[in-house]
Amino acid sequence: MQKILIIDDDTRLVKNVTTYLNDFGYSIDAALNGRDGLNKVASFKPDLVLLDLMMPAIDGLEVCREIRKTSSVPIIMLTARGEESDVVAGLEVGADDYLTKPFSLRVLAARIKASLRRTNAAGAKTEAEKAVLVRGDLTIDASRMEVFKKIKDNDQVKKISLTGTEFNLLWMMASKPGLVFSRDRLLDELRNRELEAFDRSIDAHISHLRKKIEDSPKDPKYIITVWGSGYKFQER
């Protein structure tokens, strides 16, 4: 049974979502504030987190940051504001998807199903895909979904923590260096067509990925912007 954690201070929403999702066979737990939510991420070990953006004390952005320090669990951000800047902020701190309140419970269930399917697909790669790519200072292991970077100054290697979406983006582009990927193609490859993903969601994931793998995110040597076309992976 797959487990979903709801972190939201709206008790009515939590009750309605819990009742609805129970009918799909999910195991549901909930927290009404960010601090309890972080504790339940550690104890409940959910397969997916529904996270409210606006909460007292610790807001959703900070909760997302903390979760991403130790976990790549899929996170769907719930926001009462439909401003693009709010959505991009959530994606930049590691959320995988978003929904604007008020939302349809049927749409929420579809988003959850799609997100869990992508996660399961990423963990069930064929033997041919279970490979290791070495690109410059990066070692990208598809079987373990892990990335390591060699530190030039001291010759040490550090592990880079990526979300499932970030890893899939990196793997797609690094597997075909030099090939330009349009935003539409990246969305297709990530199987996000059924979602309300907009172009800036790809830009936000790329920006966050650069911050993790590049020595200088503003002057990247791996993920290069091809103006008017999209992105490509290229070692300088």
Side-chain angles (χ1 to χ4, degrees), residues 55-125:
M55 291 186 293
I58 305 177
D59 67 15
L61 294 179
E62 184 59 32
V63 173
C64 190
R65 288 190 191 96
E66 290 299 314
I67 292 174
R68 283 292 172 252
K69 290 179 180 179
T70 58
S71 174
S72 60
V73 61
I75 297 174
I76 299 178
M77 191 75 79
L78 307 178
T79 172
R81 301 184 303 192
E83 293 293 330
E84 185 176 290
S85 59
D86 293 327
V87 175
V88 171
L91 295 171
E92 286 183 336
V93 296
D96 297 281
D97 194 10
Y98 74 96
L99 267 177
T100 302
K101 298 178 181 179
F103 51 78
S104 160
L105 291 174
R106 289 181 63 188
V107 170
L108 173 63
R111 296 289 187 94
I112 291 171
K113 184 178 180 180
S115 185
L116 291 172
R117 183 169 63 244
R118 290 196 302 273
T119 301
N120 293 337
K125 294 184 180 294

Side-chain angles (χ1 to χ4, degrees), residues 26-230:
Y26 297 118
S27 174
I28 310 295
D29 201 352
L32 298 178
N33 61 69
R35 186 171 289 103
D36 288 346
L38 289 172
N39 289 334
K40 288 196 174 184
V41 168
S43 60
F44 185 56
K45 300 186 184 306
D47 296 295
L48 182 141
V49 175
L50 299 176
L51 176 60
D52 185 28
L53 177 63
M54 302 297 293
M55 291 186 293
I58 305 177
D59 67 15
L61 294 179
E62 184 59 32
V63 173
C64 190
R65 288 190 191 96
E66 290 299 314
I67 292 174
R68 283 292 172 252
K69 290 179 180 179
T70 58
S71 174
S72 60
V73 61
I75 297 174
I76 299 178
M77 191 75 79
L78 307 178
T79 172
R81 301 184 303 192
E83 293 293 330
E84 185 176 290
S85 59
D86 293 327
V87 175
V88 171
L91 295 171
E92 286 183 336
V93 296
D96 297 281
D97 194 10
Y98 74 96
L99 267 177
T100 302
K101 298 178 181 179
F103 51 78
S104 160
L105 291 174
R106 289 181 63 188
V107 170
L108 173 63
R111 296 289 187 94
I112 291 171
K113 184 178 180 180
S115 185
L116 291 172
R117 183 169 63 244
R118 290 196 302 273
T119 301
N120 293 337
K125 294 184 180 294
T126 64
E127 290 299 319
E129 292 174 308
K130 292 183 178 180
V132 175
L133 297 177
V134 178
R135 299 286 187 262
D137 297 325
L138 300 177
T139 299
I140 309 166
D141 187 337
S143 63
R144 298 176 181 271
M145 291 190 71
E146 293 179 341
V147 178
F148 297 89
K149 182 175 180 179
K150 184 177 180 181
I151 308 303
K152 293 180 180 179
D153 293 341
N154 52 28
D155 238 17
Q156 293 183 343
V157 174
K158 72 172 182 178
K159 183 178 178 180
I160 300 174
S161 179
L162 300 181
T163 68
T165 299
E166 290 164 356
F167 183 89
N168 288 335
L169 276 172
L170 178 61
W171 179 261
M172 278 189 286
M173 292 188 288
S175 298
K176 299 177 181 178
L179 179 66
V180 177
F181 288 83
S182 68
R183 289 174 178 81
D184 283 344
R185 179 172 178 182
L186 290 173
L187 286 170
D188 282 339
E189 295 283 354
L190 290 173
R191 300 177 183 176
N192 274 354
R193 273 298 180 199
E194 61 207 276
L195 309 181
E196 287 181 40
F198 57 96
D199 262 4
R200 286 291 301 279
S201 66
I202 289 294
D203 295 338
H205 286 306
I206 292 292
S207 174
H208 207 54
L209 182 56
R210 280 173 171 163
K211 291 176 183 177
K212 294 181 177 183
I213 69 170
E214 302 281 4
D215 294 329
S216 175
K218 292 184 179 180
D219 183 26
K221 71 175 184 179
Y222 292 116
I223 300 178
I224 309 300
T225 300
V226 181
W227 297 108
S229 299

